[in-house]
Amino acid sequence: MKKWLRKIFQWMKGHPLGSLVVVFVLIVAGGAGMAQAEKIPQLACSPCHVMEPYVEGYHQGELLAQKHQQAGVACIDCHENGIEDKVKETVWYVTDDFDDPPAKRHFDNQMCTKCHTNLDEIVTKTDQGNGVNPHDSHLGDLTCSDCHRMHQKSKAACQDCHDFEFLKQLPPEWQKVKKIAE
């Protein structure tokens, strides 16, 4: 192996322009390969065993992650990683030194409104009447992720205090409201 590396370095010394071209091509090819691999969560994410449940939930089940997969939203559409993140995550994988479970990421509303653009329509659609609307809350500035969760059951923030009828009829990806003592 050392002889082989020595030959490569000798060739590189004798061919500086060729070396630059080779390095450039390797960087471009590596970047293109990484971009393609990121589109396949089983390849890019599942090798880290702590990511397996998230990838499984993306492909099956009743969580919002799976709904996004059905809509053609790739993991990297929300979990954008720069080169520093990719290097750091690779080091974590190689050294087996990562958080288990992974640290929860916080996304601001801008992440969601990249796709869910018509907020007025959402507010109108979720109006329950009688001044009850989870998207026009008296709780102040909520982020989408305060209620909508991708990799676990979503939980309406209003159910901590209220027992609205619509909370009893939420789809399966939502935690059901518990009876609130009056």
Side-chain angles (χ1 to χ4, degrees), residues 45-167:
C45 303
S46 287
C48 296
H49 70 276
V50 298
M51 296 305 297
E52 287 176 25
Y54 300 96
V55 174
E56 286 176 24
Y58 177 73
H59 287 290
Q60 58 192 355
E62 53 190 28
L63 300 177
L64 287 179
Q66 211 282 319
K67 304 274 188 233
H68 282 78
Q69 186 269 344
Q70 290 174 339
V73 178
C75 299
I76 60 170
D77 292 336
C78 299
H79 296 283
E80 300 168 341
N81 281 351
I83 189 68
E84 309 102 34
D85 296 317
K86 291 175 179 118
V87 169
K88 181 173 55 176
E89 290 169 0
T90 300
V91 169
W92 289 345
Y93 174 72
V94 170
T95 62
D96 199 33
D97 181 26
F98 43 82
D99 294 335
D100 187 3
K104 184 176 181 191
R105 291 185 174 183
H106 177 76
F107 295 104
D108 60 17
N109 287 346
Q110 290 176 339
M111 177 63 69
C112 302
T113 58
K114 288 189 318 186
C115 298
H116 301 278
T117 56
N118 196 338
L119 300 181
D120 291 335
E121 185 179 306
I122 292 170
V123 170
T124 301
K125 184 178 177 181
T126 58
D127 188 2
Q128 304 298 310
N130 301 325
V132 176
N133 191 328
H135 290 103
D136 188 17
S137 174
H138 66 86
L139 295 175
D141 289 335
L142 294 174
T143 59
C144 301
S145 61
D146 288 334
C147 299
H148 300 273
R149 300 177 183 153
M150 295 296 110
H151 299 288
Q152 59 188 24
K153 285 190 177 260
S154 295
K155 180 182 181 224
C158 52
Q159 78 179 13
D160 289 339
C161 302
H162 300 285
D163 189 14
F164 297 127
E165 188 61 34
F166 80 92
L167 293 170

